[in-house]
Amino acid sequence: VNVRVSSLTLLGAIVSTHAPLPEVQLLLQQPCSSGLSNSNSATPHISPPDWWKKAPSGPFLEEAAVSSPKVSSEPCWLIRLCISIVVLPKEDACSGSDAGSTGGSTYEPFPLRLEALQVLAHLARGYFSMTQVYLMELGEVICKCLGEADPSVQLHGAKLLEELGTGLIQQYKPESSIAPDQRVPVSLVVMFWTVMLNGPLPRALQNSEHPTLQASACDALSSILPEAFSSLLSDRQILCITMLLGLNDSKNRLVKAATSRALGVYVLFPCLRQDVIFVADTANAILMSLQDKSLNVRAKAAWSLGNLTDTLIVNMETPDPSFQEEFSGLLLLKMLRSAIEASKDKDKVKSNAVRALGNLLHFLQPSHIEKPRFAEIIEEAIQALISTVLIEAAMKVRWNACYAMGNVFKNSALPLGTALWTSQAYNALTSVVTSCKNFKVRIRSAAALSVPGKREHYGSVDQYAQIWNALVTALQKSEDTTDFLEFKYCASLRTQICQALIHLLSLASASDLSCIKETLELNGDMVQSYILQFLKSGTERDDTGAPHSPQERDQMVKTALEHISSVQALAGDTAKRAVMGFLEDILTVHFDSSGSQVALLGLTNR
């Protein structure tokens, strides 16, 4: 037995290293008997030659064969071997071998079966294009494992289910390179999950004697493809939701953490996110978990709260206002209070708490903001974000805090520009953009500074000047770092700062022009050279995720020039002319070189 277990461990190591490797895939697809290949082929020979035909055939296999994607029909001998070890009686699985049997056991020894299940999980993670051919058959293997008495077998079955579910989700992600006709059809995924939910999975979720199994079953349930979930029968959907909401009350921290995470996955499902009752129930469950003594539970709950608030923003951007109108203002207050408290927690919790705060402040409607009970909590929430931007926390925390501040600035109903916290927020961001060691955090702070859409949102002339000067300083210092790893972000940082400067120019008032002129007299050549680089840099994607075509970049400068020319300057004021001349020079130099640039682009495209 030990030799066979060790052999499977070695095979598991091979298929989990730098997967998928084409040479490993080729070896896995080799025929497994002399009857299937040239007799000289150095491929595994397992006796009897037709052993793989003896694997169980259930009612779903025929339909699975019809519906499966068009991939190589050549069987994977390792998947077949592992299935046979897990489900076949030992006397049939490997006749004539010294399987190390100890009388009375019908199946192969537990260590061997568990190792085979682990190898199947590795294959599902690394070689899903091969594993998907066996989807329904593996579903039956999982049902068999979950239905057994031994918790270890059940646990490994649940882990395999999670890996298969994750593989299916990866296929349907927008950035997936898998061609549609190579994916497992949604109808087959629906059938697969229907089998799971009609089988022993619900029992595993309710097995309070084995909390590790419950937690693993929760993780598996969270790996359901959203497109498949929406096509399940309504009673199966309700079963999933009811079980998760119920398990959130578990006294076991493993179960509670897994449930909190699963609810955070479900709240993003398109078919659930506009259901006000489900979103509210999920919010209450998550807020309860945020109070838990376990850091792991609180971290998972904070992540789910971030997801839930992402859902609020998605719903806010839909034409139908009913969700916003029906969502409880009292619950919003509770969420804000909990997120403020969580922002004082450990970094694992804090990073998602500030993300949630940014979304919640973005989501607030004028009807909320005008209520006195919201005024104090809004002030507290913004102060929590400001302090998180400035503290020496993990860079992910500060990045999220800067991102959240940008979200706050998107809410035009907030008194940005007139409120006392305006200057504190801008001071925090300008401090980061000029001095933070981490360039990705600097990029995010520059992006936040370019969000406000009106001149009055930037406050007084002095406040505007401070932001403008800070961005120019940040541009000067955009290569000042002792950390070699930060150099790769220099170009993205300059791109974002240039966008912010052009944005500020496109909103400038007559009173702002003298400050801009003074800065350009000192640093005009430097700023101009970087803006010209920005205009020529093509369609690179900056750290904010927004790609800009050359035409869009040109238009940004033209818009700024048109705005400055329309500003009513005071008589005798030379600042307007100086700023206009600066922008005109940039466009002239840029378009003088654009002929060669177009030619270069043409050659690149060829």
Side-chain angles (χ1 to χ4, degrees):
V1 173
N2 290 340
V3 173
R4 296 174 70 197
V5 171
S6 299
S7 299
L8 283 176
T9 304
L10 175 58
L11 288 166
I14 291 168
V15 298
S16 60
T17 304
H18 303 300
L21 292 171
E23 55 267 47
V24 172
Q25 186 152 344
L26 191 64
L27 288 168
L28 291 172
Q29 288 179 319
Q30 292 294 309
C32 51
S33 74
S34 56
L36 293 174
S37 68
N38 187 298
S39 58
N40 295 325
S41 172
T43 53
H45 290 261
I46 298 173
S47 64
D50 61 345
W51 65 270
W52 59 275
K53 296 176 185 173
K54 295 181 181 177
S57 57
F60 304 101
L61 296 189
E62 190 175 333
E63 187 158 358
V66 173
S67 305
S68 289
K70 297 167 187 171
V71 294
S72 170
S73 60
E74 201 165 31
C76 171
W77 60 268
L78 184 54
I79 292 177
R80 183 61 65 201
L81 171 64
C82 289
I83 290 174
S84 72
I85 289 171
V86 174
V87 302
L88 286 184
K90 61 189 173 192
E91 58 268 26
D92 290 338
C94 202
S95 63
S97 75
D98 56 340
S101 57
T102 55
S105 175
T106 311
Y107 296 104
E108 295 283 7
F110 275 122
L112 193 61
R113 297 179 74 208
L114 297 182
E115 201 63 44
L117 284 166
Q118 285 198 34
V119 172
L120 287 173
H122 288 317
L123 286 163
R125 188 184 306 126
Y127 294 86
F128 190 77
S129 62
M130 297 175 67
T131 312
Q132 68 186 43
V133 179
Y134 300 84
L135 182 66
M136 296 307 294
E137 194 170 347
L138 288 170
E140 291 186 30
V141 172
I142 291 163
C143 284
K144 178 168 181 51
C145 292
L146 290 175
E148 289 194 22
D150 188 274
S152 299
V153 176
Q154 291 178 303
L155 183 63
H156 280 74
K159 295 281 187 191
L160 175 57
L161 175 56
E162 184 189 353
E163 291 295 351
L164 288 172
T166 303
L168 291 165
I169 288 171
Q170 295 297 330
Q171 283 197 337
Y172 279 86
K173 282 194 170 176
E175 64 271 20
S176 171
S177 59
I178 309 294
D181 67 338
Q182 297 290 310
R183 298 173 186 169
V184 178
V186 173
S187 59
L188 188 63
V189 183
V190 172
M191 189 194 308
F192 173 80
W193 278 104
T194 301
V195 172
M196 295 299 109
L197 293 168
N198 289 343
L201 179 61
R203 283 203 305 277
L205 285 160
Q206 294 171 310
N207 190 345
S208 55
E209 291 180 16
H210 297 290
T212 307
L213 174 62
Q214 277 186 298
S216 190
C218 278
D219 289 337
L221 201 60
S222 71
S223 70
I224 186 167
L225 182 71
E227 292 89 335
F229 184 88
S230 62
S231 298
L232 287 173
L233 293 175
S234 60
D235 65 327
R236 299 298 88 184
Q237 293 182 9
I238 292 166
L239 173 70
C240 294
I241 293 164
T242 307
M243 284 201 156
L244 290 176
L245 288 170
L247 285 170
N248 197 68
D249 294 328
S250 172
K251 297 291 183 279
N252 184 278
R253 291 169 182 178
L254 276 178
V255 177
K256 200 159 189 174
T259 308
S260 292
R261 182 188 168 279
L263 287 169
V265 171
Y266 274 47
V267 82
L268 295 174
F269 284 5
C271 64
L272 292 177
R273 66 184 175 214
Q274 288 188 304
D275 183 333
V276 178
I277 294 172
F278 169 71
V279 174
D281 286 345
T282 300
N284 283 312
I286 289 168
L287 294 184
M288 188 172 73
S289 294
L290 266 179
Q291 310 301 317
D292 199 88
K293 291 178 182 177
S294 163
L295 174 60
N296 190 38
V297 173
R298 297 198 306 276
K300 292 285 194 287
W303 179 81
S304 292
L305 182 63
N307 282 7
L308 190 144
T309 57
D310 284 344
T311 283
L312 297 185
I313 301 303
V314 170
N315 287 336
M316 188 173 77
E317 291 166 355
T318 57
D320 182 7
S322 60
F323 182 92
Q324 292 153 267
E325 292 165 2
E326 292 171 30
F327 197 78
S328 163
L330 195 59
L331 182 54
L332 274 176
L333 272 174
K334 281 174 65 181
M335 290 166 75
L336 278 163
R337 285 197 187 98
S338 291
I340 291 167
E341 284 307 306
S343 73
K344 302 168 189 171
D345 206 330
K346 305 286 187 188
D347 283 357
K348 272 183 164 183
V349 180
K350 194 195 299 276
S351 62
N352 281 302
V354 294
R355 172 182 153 217
L357 278 176
N359 282 335
L360 288 166
L361 291 166
H362 182 192
F363 180 78
L364 290 179
Q365 309 301 302
S367 58
H368 301 127
I369 294 166
E370 63 197 21
K371 290 176 182 171
R373 64 181 178 177
F374 270 93
E376 187 179 341
I377 202 83
I378 289 170
E379 173 76 25
E380 274 187 63
I382 291 170
Q383 291 300 336
L385 287 180
I386 291 168
S387 64
T388 311
V389 167
L390 291 171
I391 59 170
E392 287 298 319
M395 290 308 164
K396 182 184 177 183
V397 174
R398 298 183 73 184
W399 189 97
N400 275 5
C402 292
Y403 187 90
M405 199 66 83
N407 266 339
V408 175
F409 293 168
K410 289 176 185 176
N411 190 343
S412 56
L414 289 170
L416 179 63
T418 56
L420 292 175
W421 50 260
T422 298
S423 60
Q424 294 171 284
Y426 285 132
N427 290 345
L429 290 169
T430 52
S431 167
V432 168
V433 82
T434 54
S435 60
C436 183
K437 292 177 183 176
N438 185 284
F439 275 29
K440 290 184 86 171
V441 178
R442 286 201 212 181
I443 291 164
R444 183 44 62 187
S445 60
L449 288 168
S450 60
V451 168
K454 295 180 180 177
R455 170 60 189 87
E456 55 265 33
H457 292 161
Y458 284 101
S460 66
V461 172
D462 287 345
Q463 183 72 68
Y464 178 98
Q466 189 242 338
I467 296 166
W468 171 267
N469 288 328
L471 286 166
V472 171
T473 302
L475 197 57
Q476 274 180 308
K477 296 166 70 176
S478 61
E479 289 185 10
D480 294 356
T481 178
T482 54
D483 187 347
F484 178 75
L485 295 174
E486 295 300 322
F487 275 111
K488 63 183 174 182
Y489 300 114
C490 287
S492 292
L493 175 60
R494 288 194 290 271
T495 291
Q496 194 57 63
I497 293 172
C498 287
Q499 282 181 231
L501 287 170
I502 295 165
H503 177 71
L504 282 169
L505 285 170
S506 68
L507 298 175
S509 67
S511 308
D512 300 321
L513 297 179
S514 58
C515 153
I516 296 169
K517 180 192 171 191
E518 285 174 24
T519 311
L520 294 177
E521 284 171 351
L522 290 170
N523 299 297
D525 289 345
M526 180 271 298
V527 175
Q528 185 186 73
S529 68
Y530 282 131
I531 291 179
L532 283 168
Q533 279 182 30
F534 165 70
L535 291 175
K536 291 176 183 176
S537 55
T539 56
E540 71 181 28
R541 184 177 286 272
D542 59 49
D543 186 67
T544 62
H548 291 285
S549 67
Q551 293 76 18
E552 287 173 315
R553 295 179 184 219
D554 294 350
Q555 190 55 49
M556 287 168 69
V557 178
K558 288 176 188 173
T559 301
L561 178 57
E562 286 166 11
H563 169 76
I564 298 293
S565 66
S566 69
V567 170
Q568 296 297 313
L570 302 171
D573 186 358
T574 59
K576 175 180 173 179
R577 184 62 255 163
V579 177
M580 282 182 66
F582 170 76
L583 290 170
E584 285 166 351
D585 286 350
I586 286 174
L587 289 172
T588 301
V589 173
H590 174 60
F591 288 124
D592 280 351
S593 63
S594 63
S596 59
Q597 189 74 6
V598 168
L600 183 62
L601 284 170
L603 286 170
T604 307
N605 290 338
R606 261 181 252 159

